[in-house]
Amino acid sequence: MANQDAFVAFERVQKSYDGETLVVKDLNLSMPKGEFLTMLGPSGSGKTTCLMMLAGFETATHGEIKLDGVSINDISPHKRGIGMVFQNYALFPHMTVAENLSFPLEVRKMGKSDREAKIKRALDMVQMGAFAGRRPTQLSGGQQQRIALARALVFEPELVLMDEPLGALDKQLRETLQFEITNLAHELGITVVYVTHDQTEALTMSDRVAVFDDGRIQQLAPPDELYEKPQNSFVAQFIGENNALDGTIQEIRGDRCTVRLESGDVIDAVPVNVSKVGEKTRVSIRPERVEFNPELGPDAHTLQAEVLEFVYMGDVFRTRLRVAGRDDFVVKTRNRADQIRLSPGEKVKIGWLPEDCRALDAP
Ligand SMILES: Nc1ncnc2c1ncn2[C@@H]1O[C@H](COP(=O)(O)OP(=O)(O)O)[C@@H](O)[C@H]1O
Ligand SMILES: [Mg+2]
């Protein structure tokens, strides 16, 4: 996407807190209006720092942040018109729900009758219309988070930032609110930058996900692409379950390469992140792309394996195997009437298609 069409843009942004270590190393990111983008990554990877720079609570050490094509580096936080929601609600405890929502409107010098109309509308959006007179302590965690969301939306911002907003809630409530937040964002047409370390949350909510590690975006892609076409070993390992086998590139020819595994087995793979013969590589295969006693055709690979563990998980069977010298190889098979159940110690043949096997960087 060309930068002039971007609603939110980070251009060569770096951040250091101590003048030495860069916690954000070189951030380039463009978002169109209306996009729901999630920054996903392990703790300490720089997600909150990026959000704080966009909100204006931290300044970038280098580079530029733009909103609607205009640099906002020198604009103070409350003038950026950005709504924010955090994990620990941060509602004012001494104010009622209505007063909490009124606050951002008063800051913007809105008159009383306009304020009342906006507050009602925002509370109705999050189905909390009946709670205007309560104090935060009289609400459950999920209700407080709904109010925090209403407060971020009440002044009708075009951009809303959310930092682990559901982190403190139980699983079921989290899933309900995930659904409500994405629906609301799409209905209102707002642009959202969402931060989480929970990959399921990122994959289910987002138009695109930026995977962070070590102050850098490792990959920026829609959820399905991230899962099915990881560009490096970090992303393959971080998103979903993954089988990793180490080896050396023996040959590269177009969209296939040959890898000699450390066990001596030789397999074909898609060369993704490798460039020359002799290079070390880590190949990645998803557990559900592997079959037992495969009938995948002449291109498929088959390897001998030994069953170490067989776990019945309801919808799927999860089998851990010893394969190519490793004992952490996992295969997931759908629970169907004709699917065999395996026992530890059994010897089986497994196989997969070369296109499901990606040769990535050796970490
Ligand atoms: N205010 C701060 N002062 C100094 N270091 C900080 C500050 N905030 C974050 N850091 C450091 O910056 C790095 C990135 O942190 P953060 O952006 O909070 O990551 P994340 O949100 O991905 O967990 C970490 O090493 C963290 O310790
Ligand atoms: Mg954080």
Side-chain angles (χ1 to χ4, degrees), residues 17 23 41-50 58 163 195:
Y17 287 104
V23 299
S43 175
S45 57
K47 309 179 298 291
T48 295
T49 301
C50 290
E58 290 291 348
D163 195 347
V195 164

Side-chain angles (χ1 to χ4, degrees), residues 13-266:
V13 170
Q14 300 183 332
K15 174 67 180 176
S16 172
Y17 287 104
D18 59 7
E20 276 181 34
T21 333
L22 289 176
V23 299
V24 175
K25 291 183 175 152
D26 182 28
L27 187 70
N28 292 285
L29 176 65
S30 295
M31 290 175 65
K33 211 178 189 112
E35 181 169 53
F36 197 115
L37 181 137
T38 296
M39 296 176 169
L40 169 71
S43 175
S45 57
K47 309 179 298 291
T48 295
T49 301
C50 290
L51 217 58
M52 287 298 154
M53 289 191 287
L54 182 53
F57 299 119
E58 290 291 348
T59 53
T61 309
H62 179 86
E64 213 156 16
I65 301 174
K66 290 181 178 168
L67 203 52
D68 228 354
V70 180
S71 171
I72 54 170
N73 283 27
D74 299 321
I75 298 178
S76 63
H78 69 282
K79 295 222 171 93
R80 297 187 183 193
I82 299 175
M84 303 202 58
V85 191
F86 301 100
Q87 175 170 344
N88 45 359
Y89 329 120
L91 295 174
F92 303 117
H94 57 289
M95 292 183 187
T96 64
V97 164
E99 286 163 354
N100 264 279
L101 265 66
S102 185
F103 185 77
L105 302 177
E106 286 169 42
V107 170
R108 289 170 174 79
K109 313 241 183 294
M110 190 179 286
K112 187 158 187 286
S113 63
D114 281 348
R115 287 205 308 264
E116 280 170 0
K118 300 259 192 229
I119 292 167
K120 180 172 185 319
R121 180 159 179 264
L123 286 179
D124 286 344
M125 274 193 301
V126 297
Q127 293 143 42
M128 291 292 288
F131 296 82
R134 297 256 189 115
R135 284 182 199 283
T137 49
Q138 296 170 308
L139 300 173
S140 70
Q143 290 171 330
Q144 288 184 47
Q145 206 50 299
R146 280 207 173 90
I147 299 303
L149 182 62
R151 192 178 59 177
L153 297 173
V154 72
F155 62 93
E156 297 171 5
E158 290 186 291
L159 174 61
V160 176
L161 313 183
M162 304 194 197
D163 195 347
E164 314 247 0
L166 309 179
L169 307 177
D170 65 54
K171 187 170 181 290
Q172 205 166 359
L173 193 53
R174 223 161 55 216
E175 284 170 2
T176 310
L177 280 172
Q178 284 167 7
F179 184 68
E180 287 181 19
I181 289 172
T182 43
N183 273 353
L184 210 50
H186 286 130
E187 258 168 48
L188 299 174
I190 50 178
T191 309
V192 180
V193 185
Y194 192 97
V195 164
T196 183
H197 65 272
D198 177 352
Q199 50 148 318
T200 311
E201 189 161 294
L203 294 180
T204 54
M205 294 181 83
S206 321
D207 296 320
R208 284 191 303 165
V209 179
V211 181
F212 273 68
D213 187 43
D214 194 25
R216 281 184 204 283
I217 293 182
Q218 302 291 324
Q219 189 169 352
L220 172 60
D224 56 342
E225 191 178 323
L226 219 49
Y227 183 80
E228 285 171 36
K229 298 194 160 98
Q231 289 303 315
N232 61 42
S233 288
F234 177 82
V235 175
Q237 205 61 37
F238 193 73
I239 306 284
E241 204 166 8
N242 182 53
N243 289 306
L245 299 172
D246 291 330
T248 308
I249 300 289
Q250 278 202 318
E251 194 190 342
I252 303 180
R253 40 181 206 294
D255 62 354
R256 288 285 181 275
C257 62
T258 308
V259 178
R260 175 178 287 275
L261 300 178
E262 284 174 355
S263 59
D265 295 294
V266 175

